[in-house]
Amino acid sequence: MIVMKFGGTSVESQEAIARVTKIVGDHSHRRPVVVVSAMAKTTNELLDVGREAAAGRREHALAIVHRLRTHHLNHALQLAGAGAADLERYIRTHFEWLEELVKGLSIVGELSPRSMDAIASVGERVSSLIVTFALRAARIPVQHIDARRVIVTDDRFTQAAPIFDQTYARLKEELSLVARSAVVVMGGFIGATRDGQTTTLGRGGSDYSAAIVGAGLDAEEIQIWTDVDGMLTADPRIVTGAHRVKSISFAEAAEMAYFGAKVLHPATVLPAVEKNIPVVILNSRRSDAGGTRITSETMPSTNPVKSISSKRGITIINIHSTRMLMAHGFLRRIFEIFDRYETSVDMVSTSEVSVSLTLDNTENLDDILRELRTFAEVSIEADQAIICLVGENIRHTPGIAGRAFSVLNQNNIRMISQGASLLNLGFVVADSDVPTAVSALHNEFFSELDPAVFD
Ligand code: ADP
Ligand code: ASP
Ligand code: MG
């Protein structure tokens, strides 16, 4: 059995879903469980619906709902063949439900994380139905499963964490048998608490759903179908000539994802690593492009750097001890504050009297600063970015940092860190320097390519 996850762009239109039907059909002998994202841009629009409704702009919120409904109907119905009338009814029911929610929210004037998840879930609930009907119309035996029946999570709405033992038990109960005789289709990104409240796993969470389903069902392989040929040596929106990485280790892929390679959700690899299930990234527009295979082993390569990631919109916090030397317990006090505000820190560097660290989530920044200032001098620098060189061989190759510095000499490097994992080397630069810095690093480290690992 395999898991096939299709991202938003892979189900963005009638043509895209027709390609999905073909790809799933080609793999039907491997007994796929299909996990789908919402149609591209839908989740963003749904979140706008929630915000507009709660801000009292009811008519605008309803206009977005109607636009979304039309878009879904336009792209879905022809795919459904004889099922078109049933599918239309389902789609309309979901959007009617959303309309009612909008009306309620605009009266209450408040958007709780719980309502946000209820609204956001519509994207995957509908897209998974559309794909189910498209497969059925293509005469592929198929069964739709509501993800909320199997993905059990805690109640941290908008960022819910799966409760693995219960989820795995439900997956086995609900899916194992069905998946033997039919392609199972379910929405990614969404789940539910034990008492049935709808939750979401965080933005980009459909990859995570795929990994959870794969791990729970002991899949042979987890395929992540997207709009690029695989994991590339850099973000293709920044570097036009980025190359496909044919194979990469779990550790490297996790590092890339964490430091900004949007192609994979950072948490995805964990459940797959634990069960040693290979993850393959593939292009739904070019199904024969080869993809990237993520496995537990590292392929030896003459290129020490496998990829360059960048995470933008970072804030640096500089914390100076107000005593001459850093007092005992200073770091503990600092990190306790971040812990309390559930704010994770990406990079840290310390000296005798100061600590600098980076955040990407500034939601609680004001409170954090207020608390830090009770015992330290604090300054912040916004609009920064982390650039990370990732590769297991960085640690065994002398001179990588020197080469990177010589290339980055035009850019003001604000922080440097070699992660404890030793497979990344990170720099913080001004966000506006990212395009030139990443391109320059890419020229430096990928002018020659090991054909065993890169395409
Ligand atoms: P999906 O909707 O299929 O989940 P995403 O938009 O989440 O797709 O992720 C795919 C995108 O990730 C690509 O279109 C690409 O722009 C971006 N990306 C960023 N860094 C990388 C990288 N190193 N390799 C490949 N893609 C990357
Ligand atoms: N639709 C969700 C999002 O846009 C989840 C995903 O696509 O992975 O964040
Ligand atoms: Mg994604």
Side-chain angles (χ1 to χ4, degrees):
M1 186 246 127
I2 60 171
V3 174
M4 305 177 78
K5 177 259 173 176
F6 293 90
T9 45
S10 301
V11 292
E12 69 185 351
S13 61
Q14 184 176 326
E15 300 74 53
I17 298 169
R19 280 194 294 270
V20 168
T21 309
K22 165 89 172 59
I23 295 171
V24 173
D26 289 346
H27 286 77
S28 55
H29 60 287
R30 297 185 75 187
R31 295 197 286 116
V33 172
V34 174
V35 175
V36 293
S37 288
M39 292 176 80
K41 304 197 184 83
T42 301
T43 309
N44 285 345
E45 299 225 25
L46 288 168
L47 295 175
D48 280 346
V49 166
R51 282 188 286 262
E52 290 297 295
R57 290 186 286 273
R58 181 182 129 140
E59 294 315 311
H60 187 219
L62 289 175
I64 307 175
V65 175
H66 296 155
R67 193 168 70 222
L68 279 171
R69 183 182 60 199
T70 307
H71 180 73
H72 281 80
L73 289 170
N74 284 348
H75 285 273
L77 297 187
Q78 281 192 30
L79 292 163
D86 284 342
L87 180 58
E88 175 166 3
R89 196 154 27 81
Y90 282 126
I91 295 176
R92 288 193 184 279
T93 308
H94 278 85
F95 285 101
E96 267 160 34
W97 177 86
L98 191 55
E99 265 182 34
E100 291 310 311
L101 201 59
V102 164
K103 289 174 189 163
L105 283 172
S106 62
I107 294 167
V108 183
E110 204 180 87
L111 185 64
S112 64
R114 188 171 137 183
S115 316
M116 215 132 106
D117 276 355
I119 294 175
S121 72
V122 173
E124 270 74 5
R125 282 155 62 194
V126 173
S127 66
S128 58
L129 282 169
I130 297 174
V131 169
T132 304
F133 275 81
L135 289 169
R136 188 168 295 144
R139 299 185 187 290
I140 297 170
V142 58
Q143 173 80 45
H144 180 261
I145 297 261
D146 188 331
R148 296 171 298 174
R149 280 175 48 189
V150 287
I151 308 289
V152 186
T153 74
D154 64 13
D155 62 358
R156 289 186 49 196
F157 296 99
T158 74
Q159 284 292 337
I163 299 171
F164 284 101
D165 51 348
Q166 294 181 26
T167 300
Y168 289 173
R170 294 240 192 130
L171 281 166
K172 291 214 167 81
E173 254 167 56
E174 302 259 344
L175 263 67
S176 292
L177 201 63
V178 188
R180 275 187 213 158
S181 54
V183 172
V184 174
V185 180
M186 59 186 270
F189 180 54
I190 61 178
T193 59
R194 244 167 301 189
D195 55 356
Q197 304 291 339
T198 301
T199 54
T200 66
L201 305 173
R203 296 305 307 272
S206 293
D207 296 340
Y208 197 17
S209 304
I212 297 165
V213 172
L217 296 175
D218 295 309
E220 289 156 38
E221 183 173 287
I222 297 164
Q223 301 177 344
I224 307 285
W225 292 85
T226 183
D227 63 347
V228 280
D229 286 352
M231 296 196 92
L232 306 177
T233 48
D235 186 334
R237 291 163 300 182
I238 298 175
V239 175
T240 38
H243 308 280
R244 174 168 66 98
V245 186
K246 292 195 258 187
S247 85
I248 197 162
S249 71
F250 280 122
E252 290 169 320
E255 211 79 22
M256 280 176 70
Y258 186 73
F259 286 107
K262 192 194 169 202
V263 64
L264 203 69
H265 186 288
T268 310
V269 270
L270 287 175
V273 173
E274 278 166 11
K275 298 245 172 143
N276 209 357
I277 302 170
V279 176
V280 189
I281 318 279
L282 293 153
N283 190 343
S284 64
R285 295 200 183 109
R286 295 184 352 121
S287 57
D288 54 356
T292 297
R293 204 170 175 77
I294 307 172
T295 56
S296 50
E297 296 112 62
T298 314
M299 186 87 156
S301 169
T302 51
N303 288 72
V305 178
K306 295 275 175 61
S307 183
I308 305 171
S309 305
S310 43
K311 193 165 175 175
R312 305 186 70 161
I314 295 289
T315 301
I316 302 182
I317 306 191
N318 301 302
I319 306 161
H320 297 265
S321 169
T322 42
R323 305 224 196 138
M324 267 303 282
L325 296 177
M326 239 200 261
H328 166 74
F330 184 63
L331 288 176
R332 181 180 49 75
R333 288 180 80 179
I334 292 175
F335 285 106
E336 266 172 10
I337 295 171
F338 287 98
D339 188 40
R340 209 161 344 105
Y341 288 100
E342 297 186 350
T343 297
S344 60
V345 168
D346 288 330
M347 208 187 256
V348 186
S349 75
T350 62
S351 76
E352 187 68 21
V353 290
S354 72
V355 182
S356 296
L357 36 82
T358 68
L359 307 180
D360 67 346
N361 171 4
T362 50
E363 205 182 304
N364 296 311
L365 188 57
D366 290 343
D367 291 325
I368 291 171
L369 293 178
R370 186 176 37 76
E371 295 207 26
L372 289 170
R373 286 189 170 124
T374 60
F375 62 93
E377 279 170 20
V378 186
S379 65
I380 66 164
E381 298 169 66
D383 301 324
Q384 306 291 310
I386 298 177
I387 298 179
C388 240
L389 306 180
V390 177
E392 302 243 28
N393 283 330
I394 290 178
R395 66 181 123 177
H396 305 302
T397 314
I400 303 279
R403 284 170 69 188
F405 290 140
S406 65
V407 168
L408 292 177
N409 61 3
Q410 301 298 323
N411 306 107
N412 183 14
I413 301 177
R414 290 287 306 106
M415 275 171 74
I416 301 164
S417 116
Q418 170 134 37
S421 58
L422 296 179
L423 47 79
N424 76 56
L425 185 63
F427 311 94
V428 177
V429 299
D431 188 87
S432 55
D433 285 348
V434 165
T436 51
V438 174
S439 300
L441 288 165
H442 196 264
N443 284 340
E444 173 64 25
F445 290 103
F446 297 107
S447 54
E448 279 172 34
L449 295 176
D450 180 350
V453 176
F454 302 93
D455 194 15

PDB file of all heavy atoms in Angstrom, residues 24-55:
ATOM      1  N   VAL A  24      -3.269   8.464 -10.338  1.00  0.00           N
ATOM      2  CA  VAL A  24      -3.751   7.480  -9.353  1.00  0.00           C
ATOM      3  C   VAL A  24      -4.087   6.166 -10.074  1.00  0.00           C
ATOM      4  O   VAL A  24      -3.727   5.078  -9.602  1.00  0.00           O
ATOM      5  CB  VAL A  24      -4.972   8.021  -8.572  1.00  0.00           C
ATOM      6  CG1 VAL A  24      -5.574   6.940  -7.686  1.00  0.00           C
ATOM      7  CG2 VAL A  24      -4.569   9.227  -7.720  1.00  0.00           C
ATOM      8  N   GLY A  25      -4.724   6.271 -11.222  1.00  0.00           N
ATOM      9  CA  GLY A  25      -5.050   5.068 -12.005  1.00  0.00           C
ATOM     10  C   GLY A  25      -3.788   4.272 -12.335  1.00  0.00           C
ATOM     11  O   GLY A  25      -3.758   3.047 -12.192  1.00  0.00           O
ATOM     12  N   ASP A  26      -2.745   4.988 -12.735  1.00  0.00           N
ATOM     13  CA  ASP A  26      -1.485   4.313 -13.077  1.00  0.00           C
ATOM     14  C   ASP A  26      -0.871   3.591 -11.881  1.00  0.00           C
ATOM     15  O   ASP A  26      -0.044   2.698 -12.053  1.00  0.00           O
ATOM     16  CB  ASP A  26      -0.453   5.329 -13.599  1.00  0.00           C
ATOM     17  CG  ASP A  26      -0.823   5.857 -14.977  1.00  0.00           C
ATOM     18  OD1 ASP A  26      -1.696   5.254 -15.630  1.00  0.00           O
ATOM     19  OD2 ASP A  26      -0.244   6.894 -15.388  1.00  0.00           O
ATOM     20  N   HIS A  27      -1.222   4.026 -10.680  1.00  0.00           N
ATOM     21  CA  HIS A  27      -0.639   3.416  -9.473  1.00  0.00           C
ATOM     22  C   HIS A  27      -1.616   2.492  -8.751  1.00  0.00           C
ATOM     23  O   HIS A  27      -1.325   2.041  -7.648  1.00  0.00           O
ATOM     24  CB  HIS A  27      -0.192   4.505  -8.485  1.00  0.00           C
ATOM     25  CG  HIS A  27       1.055   5.223  -8.915  1.00  0.00           C
ATOM     26  ND1 HIS A  27       1.052   6.191  -9.891  1.00  0.00           N
ATOM     27  CD2 HIS A  27       2.343   5.096  -8.513  1.00  0.00           C
ATOM     28  CE1 HIS A  27       2.288   6.639 -10.054  1.00  0.00           C
ATOM     29  NE2 HIS A  27       3.086   5.994  -9.240  1.00  0.00           N
ATOM     30  N   SER A  28      -2.788   2.237  -9.359  1.00  0.00           N
ATOM     31  CA  SER A  28      -3.826   1.544  -8.584  1.00  0.00           C
ATOM     32  C   SER A  28      -3.391   0.145  -8.118  1.00  0.00           C
ATOM     33  O   SER A  28      -3.843  -0.316  -7.082  1.00  0.00           O
ATOM     34  CB  SER A  28      -5.144   1.482  -9.348  1.00  0.00           C
ATOM     35  OG  SER A  28      -4.914   0.883 -10.588  1.00  0.00           O
ATOM     36  N   HIS A  29      -2.464  -0.478  -8.852  1.00  0.00           N
ATOM     37  CA  HIS A  29      -2.001  -1.809  -8.420  1.00  0.00           C
ATOM     38  C   HIS A  29      -1.225  -1.727  -7.101  1.00  0.00           C
ATOM     39  O   HIS A  29      -1.018  -2.742  -6.436  1.00  0.00           O
ATOM     40  CB  HIS A  29      -1.119  -2.435  -9.502  1.00  0.00           C
ATOM     41  CG  HIS A  29       0.104  -1.612  -9.803  1.00  0.00           C
ATOM     42  ND1 HIS A  29       0.047  -0.426 -10.504  1.00  0.00           N
ATOM     43  CD2 HIS A  29       1.403  -1.790  -9.457  1.00  0.00           C
ATOM     44  CE1 HIS A  29       1.264   0.090 -10.601  1.00  0.00           C
ATOM     45  NE2 HIS A  29       2.102  -0.709  -9.969  1.00  0.00           N
ATOM     46  N   ARG A  30      -0.803  -0.533  -6.703  1.00  0.00           N
ATOM     47  CA  ARG A  30      -0.063  -0.412  -5.439  1.00  0.00           C
ATOM     48  C   ARG A  30      -0.975  -0.034  -4.277  1.00  0.00           C
ATOM     49  O   ARG A  30      -0.521   0.298  -3.204  1.00  0.00           O
ATOM     50  CB  ARG A  30       1.068   0.615  -5.579  1.00  0.00           C
ATOM     51  CG  ARG A  30       2.102   0.181  -6.612  1.00  0.00           C
ATOM     52  CD  ARG A  30       3.275   1.137  -6.665  1.00  0.00           C
ATOM     53  NE  ARG A  30       4.178   0.989  -5.531  1.00  0.00           N
ATOM     54  CZ  ARG A  30       5.207   1.801  -5.277  1.00  0.00           C
ATOM     55  NH1 ARG A  30       5.448   2.805  -6.097  1.00  0.00           N
ATOM     56  NH2 ARG A  30       5.981   1.614  -4.243  1.00  0.00           N
ATOM     57  N   ARG A  31      -2.276  -0.093  -4.507  1.00  0.00           N
ATOM     58  CA  ARG A  31      -3.285   0.175  -3.475  1.00  0.00           C
ATOM     59  C   ARG A  31      -3.083   1.526  -2.782  1.00  0.00           C
ATOM     60  O   ARG A  31      -2.755   1.598  -1.600  1.00  0.00           O
ATOM     61  CB  ARG A  31      -3.313  -0.964  -2.455  1.00  0.00           C
ATOM     62  CG  ARG A  31      -3.774  -2.277  -3.100  1.00  0.00           C
ATOM     63  CD  ARG A  31      -4.192  -3.291  -2.083  1.00  0.00           C
ATOM     64  NE  ARG A  31      -3.076  -3.885  -1.386  1.00  0.00           N
ATOM     65  CZ  ARG A  31      -2.838  -3.763  -0.097  1.00  0.00           C
ATOM     66  NH1 ARG A  31      -3.660  -3.082   0.675  1.00  0.00           N
ATOM     67  NH2 ARG A  31      -1.803  -4.331   0.438  1.00  0.00           N
ATOM     68  N   PRO A  32      -3.317   2.609  -3.531  1.00  0.00           N
ATOM     69  CA  PRO A  32      -3.062   3.924  -2.945  1.00  0.00           C
ATOM     70  C   PRO A  32      -4.126   4.414  -1.957  1.00  0.00           C
ATOM     71  O   PRO A  32      -5.315   4.176  -2.156  1.00  0.00           O
ATOM     72  CB  PRO A  32      -3.018   4.861  -4.153  1.00  0.00           C
ATOM     73  CG  PRO A  32      -3.495   4.095  -5.321  1.00  0.00           C
ATOM     74  CD  PRO A  32      -3.697   2.662  -4.939  1.00  0.00           C
ATOM     75  N   VAL A  33      -3.671   5.081  -0.919  1.00  0.00           N
ATOM     76  CA  VAL A  33      -4.549   5.941  -0.122  1.00  0.00           C
ATOM     77  C   VAL A  33      -4.180   7.357  -0.550  1.00  0.00           C
ATOM     78  O   VAL A  33      -3.009   7.743  -0.511  1.00  0.00           O
ATOM     79  CB  VAL A  33      -4.312   5.764   1.389  1.00  0.00           C
ATOM     80  CG1 VAL A  33      -5.105   6.812   2.176  1.00  0.00           C
ATOM     81  CG2 VAL A  33      -4.707   4.364   1.824  1.00  0.00           C
ATOM     82  N   VAL A  34      -5.177   8.109  -1.033  1.00  0.00           N
ATOM     83  CA  VAL A  34      -4.918   9.421  -1.609  1.00  0.00           C
ATOM     84  C   VAL A  34      -5.275  10.508  -0.585  1.00  0.00           C
ATOM     85  O   VAL A  34      -6.376  10.515  -0.042  1.00  0.00           O
ATOM     86  CB  VAL A  34      -5.743   9.580  -2.910  1.00  0.00           C
ATOM     87  CG1 VAL A  34      -5.611  10.992  -3.462  1.00  0.00           C
ATOM     88  CG2 VAL A  34      -5.294   8.546  -3.948  1.00  0.00           C
ATOM     89  N   VAL A  35      -4.324  11.395  -0.337  1.00  0.00           N
ATOM     90  CA  VAL A  35      -4.544  12.509   0.594  1.00  0.00           C
ATOM     91  C   VAL A  35      -4.486  13.793  -0.228  1.00  0.00           C
ATOM     92  O   VAL A  35      -3.500  14.013  -0.932  1.00  0.00           O
ATOM     93  CB  VAL A  35      -3.445  12.523   1.680  1.00  0.00           C
ATOM     94  CG1 VAL A  35      -3.584  13.748   2.576  1.00  0.00           C
ATOM     95  CG2 VAL A  35      -3.486  11.238   2.511  1.00  0.00           C
ATOM     96  N   VAL A  36      -5.532  14.608  -0.174  1.00  0.00           N
ATOM     97  CA  VAL A  36      -5.522  15.808  -1.015  1.00  0.00           C
ATOM     98  C   VAL A  36      -5.611  17.093  -0.201  1.00  0.00           C
ATOM     99  O   VAL A  36      -6.291  17.177   0.818  1.00  0.00           O
ATOM    100  CB  VAL A  36      -6.656  15.829  -2.071  1.00  0.00           C
ATOM    101  CG1 VAL A  36      -6.450  14.746  -3.100  1.00  0.00           C
ATOM    102  CG2 VAL A  36      -8.013  15.703  -1.445  1.00  0.00           C
ATOM    103  N   SER A  37      -4.929  18.110  -0.720  1.00  0.00           N
ATOM    104  CA  SER A  37      -5.035  19.466  -0.174  1.00  0.00           C
ATOM    105  C   SER A  37      -6.282  20.125  -0.737  1.00  0.00           C
ATOM    106  O   SER A  37      -6.877  19.633  -1.694  1.00  0.00           O
ATOM    107  CB  SER A  37      -3.850  20.316  -0.628  1.00  0.00           C
ATOM    108  OG  SER A  37      -2.685  19.938   0.002  1.00  0.00           O
ATOM    109  N   ALA A  38      -6.588  21.287  -0.206  1.00  0.00           N
ATOM    110  CA  ALA A  38      -7.620  22.137  -0.798  1.00  0.00           C
ATOM    111  C   ALA A  38      -7.111  22.622  -2.152  1.00  0.00           C
ATOM    112  O   ALA A  38      -5.903  22.678  -2.380  1.00  0.00           O
ATOM    113  CB  ALA A  38      -7.870  23.327   0.110  1.00  0.00           C
ATOM    114  N   MET A  39      -8.026  22.979  -3.056  1.00  0.00           N
ATOM    115  CA  MET A  39      -7.603  23.562  -4.326  1.00  0.00           C
ATOM    116  C   MET A  39      -6.754  24.797  -4.027  1.00  0.00           C
ATOM    117  O   MET A  39      -7.020  25.520  -3.054  1.00  0.00           O
ATOM    118  CB  MET A  39      -8.835  23.969  -5.160  1.00  0.00           C
ATOM    119  CG  MET A  39      -9.640  22.778  -5.658  1.00  0.00           C
ATOM    120  SD  MET A  39     -11.167  23.267  -6.537  1.00  0.00           S
ATOM    121  CE  MET A  39     -10.523  23.693  -8.169  1.00  0.00           C
ATOM    122  N   ALA A  40      -5.757  25.044  -4.866  1.00  0.00           N
ATOM    123  CA  ALA A  40      -4.799  26.128  -4.617  1.00  0.00           C
ATOM    124  C   ALA A  40      -5.507  27.428  -4.225  1.00  0.00           C
ATOM    125  O   ALA A  40      -6.544  27.772  -4.788  1.00  0.00           O
ATOM    126  CB  ALA A  40      -3.960  26.370  -5.866  1.00  0.00           C
ATOM    127  N   LYS A  41      -4.952  28.119  -3.287  1.00  0.00           N
ATOM    128  CA  LYS A  41      -5.406  29.432  -2.777  1.00  0.00           C
ATOM    129  C   LYS A  41      -6.678  29.364  -1.924  1.00  0.00           C
ATOM    130  O   LYS A  41      -7.054  30.333  -1.278  1.00  0.00           O
ATOM    131  CB  LYS A  41      -5.637  30.442  -3.910  1.00  0.00           C
ATOM    132  CG  LYS A  41      -4.411  30.643  -4.794  1.00  0.00           C
ATOM    133  CD  LYS A  41      -4.535  31.924  -5.620  1.00  0.00           C
ATOM    134  CE  LYS A  41      -3.367  32.085  -6.566  1.00  0.00           C
ATOM    135  NZ  LYS A  41      -3.549  31.324  -7.824  1.00  0.00           N
ATOM    136  N   THR A  42      -7.346  28.214  -1.911  1.00  0.00           N
ATOM    137  CA  THR A  42      -8.622  28.131  -1.195  1.00  0.00           C
ATOM    138  C   THR A  42      -8.452  28.383   0.301  1.00  0.00           C
ATOM    139  O   THR A  42      -9.242  29.110   0.913  1.00  0.00           O
ATOM    140  CB  THR A  42      -9.270  26.746  -1.431  1.00  0.00           C
ATOM    141  OG1 THR A  42      -9.465  26.585  -2.828  1.00  0.00           O
ATOM    142  CG2 THR A  42     -10.584  26.612  -0.705  1.00  0.00           C
ATOM    143  N   THR A  43      -7.422  27.787   0.898  1.00  0.00           N
ATOM    144  CA  THR A  43      -7.261  27.959   2.351  1.00  0.00           C
ATOM    145  C   THR A  43      -7.067  29.434   2.703  1.00  0.00           C
ATOM    146  O   THR A  43      -7.677  29.941   3.650  1.00  0.00           O
ATOM    147  CB  THR A  43      -6.089  27.105   2.877  1.00  0.00           C
ATOM    148  OG1 THR A  43      -6.269  25.768   2.408  1.00  0.00           O
ATOM    149  CG2 THR A  43      -6.027  27.107   4.391  1.00  0.00           C
ATOM    150  N   ASN A  44      -6.238  30.129   1.931  1.00  0.00           N
ATOM    151  CA  ASN A  44      -6.054  31.569   2.190  1.00  0.00           C
ATOM    152  C   ASN A  44      -7.384  32.301   2.107  1.00  0.00           C
ATOM    153  O   ASN A  44      -7.693  33.143   2.945  1.00  0.00           O
ATOM    154  CB  ASN A  44      -5.107  32.191   1.157  1.00  0.00           C
ATOM    155  CG  ASN A  44      -3.660  31.815   1.432  1.00  0.00           C
ATOM    156  OD1 ASN A  44      -3.337  31.340   2.516  1.00  0.00           O
ATOM    157  ND2 ASN A  44      -2.806  32.009   0.457  1.00  0.00           N
ATOM    158  N   GLU A  45      -8.153  31.965   1.084  1.00  0.00           N
ATOM    159  CA  GLU A  45      -9.433  32.668   0.905  1.00  0.00           C
ATOM    160  C   GLU A  45     -10.400  32.342   2.041  1.00  0.00           C
ATOM    161  O   GLU A  45     -11.147  33.203   2.505  1.00  0.00           O
ATOM    162  CB  GLU A  45     -10.055  32.295  -0.442  1.00  0.00           C
ATOM    163  CG  GLU A  45      -9.158  32.700  -1.597  1.00  0.00           C
ATOM    164  CD  GLU A  45      -9.920  33.379  -2.720  1.00  0.00           C
ATOM    165  OE1 GLU A  45     -10.985  33.958  -2.434  1.00  0.00           O
ATOM    166  OE2 GLU A  45      -9.445  33.304  -3.860  1.00  0.00           O
ATOM    167  N   LEU A  46     -10.384  31.102   2.481  1.00  0.00           N
ATOM    168  CA  LEU A  46     -11.276  30.726   3.582  1.00  0.00           C
ATOM    169  C   LEU A  46     -10.907  31.485   4.851  1.00  0.00           C
ATOM    170  O   LEU A  46     -11.783  31.940   5.602  1.00  0.00           O
ATOM    171  CB  LEU A  46     -11.220  29.217   3.817  1.00  0.00           C
ATOM    172  CG  LEU A  46     -11.902  28.362   2.739  1.00  0.00           C
ATOM    173  CD1 LEU A  46     -11.539  26.884   2.918  1.00  0.00           C
ATOM    174  CD2 LEU A  46     -13.428  28.540   2.797  1.00  0.00           C
ATOM    175  N   LEU A  47      -9.606  31.635   5.084  1.00  0.00           N
ATOM    176  CA  LEU A  47      -9.192  32.373   6.277  1.00  0.00           C
ATOM    177  C   LEU A  47      -9.616  33.846   6.159  1.00  0.00           C
ATOM    178  O   LEU A  47     -10.021  34.464   7.148  1.00  0.00           O
ATOM    179  CB  LEU A  47      -7.683  32.232   6.502  1.00  0.00           C
ATOM    180  CG  LEU A  47      -7.239  30.793   6.820  1.00  0.00           C
ATOM    181  CD1 LEU A  47      -5.713  30.681   6.902  1.00  0.00           C
ATOM    182  CD2 LEU A  47      -7.851  30.289   8.135  1.00  0.00           C
ATOM    183  N   ASP A  48      -9.569  34.368   4.926  1.00  0.00           N
ATOM    184  CA  ASP A  48     -10.084  35.734   4.705  1.00  0.00           C
ATOM    185  C   ASP A  48     -11.580  35.799   5.021  1.00  0.00           C
ATOM    186  O   ASP A  48     -12.050  36.768   5.617  1.00  0.00           O
ATOM    187  CB  ASP A  48      -9.912  36.156   3.237  1.00  0.00           C
ATOM    188  CG  ASP A  48      -8.494  36.602   2.948  1.00  0.00           C
ATOM    189  OD1 ASP A  48      -7.741  36.837   3.918  1.00  0.00           O
ATOM    190  OD2 ASP A  48      -8.137  36.690   1.750  1.00  0.00           O
ATOM    191  N   VAL A  49     -12.299  34.773   4.613  1.00  0.00           N
ATOM    192  CA  VAL A  49     -13.738  34.725   4.891  1.00  0.00           C
ATOM    193  C   VAL A  49     -13.968  34.884   6.393  1.00  0.00           C
ATOM    194  O   VAL A  49     -14.774  35.707   6.838  1.00  0.00           O
ATOM    195  CB  VAL A  49     -14.359  33.390   4.400  1.00  0.00           C
ATOM    196  CG1 VAL A  49     -15.753  33.189   4.973  1.00  0.00           C
ATOM    197  CG2 VAL A  49     -14.381  33.337   2.876  1.00  0.00           C
ATOM    198  N   GLY A  50     -13.214  34.116   7.175  1.00  0.00           N
ATOM    199  CA  GLY A  50     -13.369  34.176   8.628  1.00  0.00           C
ATOM    200  C   GLY A  50     -13.074  35.564   9.163  1.00  0.00           C
ATOM    201  O   GLY A  50     -13.843  36.124   9.950  1.00  0.00           O
ATOM    202  N   ARG A  51     -11.948  36.120   8.732  1.00  0.00           N
ATOM    203  CA  ARG A  51     -11.546  37.442   9.240  1.00  0.00           C
ATOM    204  C   ARG A  51     -12.544  38.525   8.836  1.00  0.00           C
ATOM    205  O   ARG A  51     -12.906  39.378   9.638  1.00  0.00           O
ATOM    206  CB  ARG A  51     -10.145  37.797   8.728  1.00  0.00           C
ATOM    207  CG  ARG A  51      -9.035  37.072   9.499  1.00  0.00           C
ATOM    208  CD  ARG A  51      -7.662  37.580   9.098  1.00  0.00           C
ATOM    209  NE  ARG A  51      -7.291  37.081   7.777  1.00  0.00           N
ATOM    210  CZ  ARG A  51      -6.513  36.027   7.572  1.00  0.00           C
ATOM    211  NH1 ARG A  51      -5.988  35.379   8.589  1.00  0.00           N
ATOM    212  NH2 ARG A  51      -6.229  35.619   6.353  1.00  0.00           N
ATOM    213  N   GLU A  52     -12.978  38.482   7.587  1.00  0.00           N
ATOM    214  CA  GLU A  52     -13.934  39.493   7.115  1.00  0.00           C
ATOM    215  C   GLU A  52     -15.251  39.389   7.878  1.00  0.00           C
ATOM    216  O   GLU A  52     -15.830  40.394   8.280  1.00  0.00           O
ATOM    217  CB  GLU A  52     -14.194  39.319   5.603  1.00  0.00           C
ATOM    218  CG  GLU A  52     -13.013  39.686   4.734  1.00  0.00           C
ATOM    219  CD  GLU A  52     -12.637  41.158   4.869  1.00  0.00           C
ATOM    220  OE1 GLU A  52     -13.446  42.015   4.484  1.00  0.00           O
ATOM    221  OE2 GLU A  52     -11.541  41.439   5.395  1.00  0.00           O
ATOM    222  N   ALA A  53     -15.711  38.151   8.068  1.00  0.00           N
ATOM    223  CA  ALA A  53     -16.976  37.962   8.777  1.00  0.00           C
ATOM    224  C   ALA A  53     -16.872  38.520  10.193  1.00  0.00           C
ATOM    225  O   ALA A  53     -17.734  39.279  10.649  1.00  0.00           O
ATOM    226  CB  ALA A  53     -17.349  36.484   8.806  1.00  0.00           C
ATOM    227  N   ALA A  54     -15.779  38.138  10.876  1.00  0.00           N
ATOM    228  CA  ALA A  54     -15.641  38.559  12.269  1.00  0.00           C
ATOM    229  C   ALA A  54     -15.452  40.068  12.378  1.00  0.00           C
ATOM    230  O   ALA A  54     -15.771  40.678  13.402  1.00  0.00           O
ATOM    231  CB  ALA A  54     -14.469  37.828  12.917  1.00  0.00           C
ATOM    232  N   ALA A  55     -14.921  40.692  11.304  1.00  0.00           N
ATOM    233  CA  ALA A  55     -14.739  42.147  11.324  1.00  0.00           C
ATOM    234  C   ALA A  55     -16.033  42.862  10.947  1.00  0.00           C
ATOM    235  O   ALA A  55     -16.054  44.081  10.789  1.00  0.00           O
ATOM    236  CB  ALA A  55     -13.619  42.537  10.366  1.00  0.00           C
TER     237      ALA A  55
END
